[in-house]
Amino acid sequence: QGLYKHFPIKKGLFRSVVGHVKAVDGVSLRIPKGKTLGLVGESGSGKTTTGRALLHLIEPTGGTVRFQGVDVSQKLKEDPRWVRRSMQIIFQDPYGSLNPRRTVMDIVGEAPLYHGIVDRSNLQDYVGQVLEMSGLKRTDAMRYPHEFSGGQRQRIGIARALAVKPSFMVCDEPVSALDVSIRSQILNLLKDLRDQLGLTYLFISHDMSVVRHISDHVAVMYLGKLVESAPKGDFFREPLHPYSKALLSAIPLPDPEAKRDRIILEGDVPSPVNPPSGCRFHPRCSYAMERCRSEEPPLADVGGREVACWLHCR
Ligand code: SF4
């Protein structure tokens, strides 16, 4: 609720603060149990920072995160293990997120041992079970990360997260570093695990076709703010925000004969240090009006979804 993460910019001999990067600037999200919220936007929109701030892997500058009714920041002081066990993350880079000097047994087995989910005498069997759930073999436990392909390494990352029996997972672009041919296998694995184990996901991606495949609800971020949040069906049928329309127009159509008007966004994403006044999207929006330059549109309810655009709210 009202999540902020501003990174200070320090300069000079005394490291004085000369400004802030407003990476996340007042974001509110709600994810029902067992559902997947797809969080989309271009690079630099604040998606990854939002995911990490939700887990308190980075300390939010402001706002509250509630998980199962519990204030996460407070709970971290009282029972950090509960928070770390219940809320996990799968990282984007399956090459960089696994320690090359450690076996899969060490990587997957460390956290459940630490959290007391399993004792050392049963660890091998437990890790074997988790590897099988993640589509790997029990014998893979004795191998090292460099012996696996990219898709298999991401399965190890999934197994590491699952090993502590979480309820909520942030999936931070988990397939974007993978070969296209194996993306659907990993997406289907995540879907099956969600359905079997009743997991809840925040699924971060810049790829709209991936989000369409796995999400129940879609939220769009632009320059640290939410600009649209809608059930998946409504969103893909008729996106309302001009930025959402531009993102959707970039999805390739399966039929080579089919035509769709591609909306090309002019210019780069503005700096999050000094975001544009009014609607942050106005320098790139072809519908921009005078009001858009000075007044910031609120995220307003528009027929069961939320949109921050003066075309749709008063
Ligand atoms: Fe475009 Fe104005 Fe809507 Fe912003 S508020 S998206 S500038 S029409």
Side-chain angles (χ1 to χ4, degrees):
Q1 186 70 41
L3 197 67
Y4 288 82
K5 182 62 193 177
H6 291 181
F7 295 99
I9 305 167
K10 296 180 181 174
K11 275 201 178 148
L13 194 57
F14 299 103
R15 310 300 294 151
S16 316
V17 176
V18 295
H20 287 89
V21 176
K22 296 164 187 149
V24 180
D25 212 17
V27 166
S28 297
L29 299 167
R30 192 168 170 277
I31 314 176
K33 186 174 182 338
K35 300 291 182 191
T36 298
L37 174 73
L39 187 60
V40 299
E42 290 166 287
S43 296
S45 59
K47 313 181 294 292
T48 290
T49 308
T50 300
R52 291 181 188 204
L54 279 187
L55 300 182
H56 283 58
L57 294 179
I58 50 174
E59 189 66 29
T61 316
T64 314
V65 180
R66 289 191 168 272
F67 172 65
Q68 297 180 347
V70 173
D71 183 327
V72 170
S73 148
Q74 187 60 32
K75 191 74 175 172
L76 265 173
K77 293 179 196 139
E78 297 160 4
D79 187 0
R81 287 191 185 203
W82 182 85
V83 175
R84 294 291 170 233
R85 207 175 53 225
S86 308
M87 306 170 81
Q88 282 286 309
I89 184 166
I90 300 167
F91 294 100
Q92 174 178 0
D93 179 6
Y95 296 90
S97 63
L98 302 175
N99 187 336
R101 294 171 190 274
R102 307 189 71 202
T103 62
V104 172
M105 170 66 84
D106 292 339
I107 292 169
V108 176
E110 182 182 25
L113 204 56
Y114 173 77
H115 286 289
I117 290 168
V118 65
D119 58 32
R120 201 166 282 281
S121 61
N122 294 312
L123 185 63
Q124 193 167 351
D125 188 48
Y126 182 74
V127 169
Q129 283 174 33
V130 178
L131 291 179
E132 283 181 344
M133 276 168 67
S134 309
L136 294 162
K137 296 197 288 285
R138 281 178 178 258
T139 48
D140 290 333
M142 302 326 293
R143 298 167 68 197
Y144 288 87
H146 72 268
E147 299 176 60
F148 294 88
S149 67
Q152 287 174 315
R153 286 186 210 198
Q154 196 54 294
R155 289 179 191 271
I156 299 169
I158 292 169
R160 175 174 57 185
L162 284 182
V164 292
K165 303 186 173 175
S167 322
F168 173 68
M169 298 220 283
V170 171
C171 305
D172 186 6
E173 304 254 16
V175 296
S176 54
L178 303 179
D179 200 88
V180 175
S181 60
I182 49 172
R183 283 184 190 178
S184 59
Q185 292 173 20
I186 299 294
L187 282 178
N188 288 336
L189 170 66
L190 287 169
K191 251 180 145 177
D192 292 346
L193 290 169
R194 178 192 64 192
D195 297 342
Q196 282 166 24
L197 305 174
L199 296 169
T200 305
Y201 292 155
L202 175 72
F203 195 97
I204 297 169
S205 181
H206 64 273
D207 185 332
M208 301 303 281
S209 12
V210 165
V211 166
R212 179 183 233 161
H213 188 70
I214 198 160
S215 306
D216 300 293
H217 196 97
V218 180
V220 183
M221 278 189 84
Y222 185 77
L223 263 185
K225 289 199 174 268
L226 281 192
V227 296
E228 182 161 3
S229 172
K232 175 174 79 172
D234 294 347
F235 182 81
F236 282 96
R237 202 173 310 113
E238 191 192 9
L240 295 184
H241 196 282
Y243 180 57
S244 310
K245 286 182 199 279
L247 289 181
L248 273 190
S249 79
I251 302 183
L253 294 170
D255 178 0
E257 302 296 319
K259 293 254 181 298
R260 175 166 57 201
D261 289 336
R262 173 94 193 262
I263 303 169
I264 307 288
L265 289 175
E266 301 291 340
D268 295 325
V269 180
S271 162
V273 178
N274 287 309
S277 59
C279 171
R280 294 183 177 193
F281 188 56
H282 85 253
R284 303 171 82 194
C285 180
S286 50
Y287 302 93
M289 307 163 271
E290 198 48 46
R291 182 185 196 184
C292 304
R293 294 177 229 289
S294 55
E295 287 180 61
E296 184 174 345
L299 194 63
D301 192 316
V302 181
R305 61 169 102 180
E306 292 180 306
V307 187
C309 173
W310 288 124
L311 294 173
H312 300 283
C313 54
R314 291 166 195 278

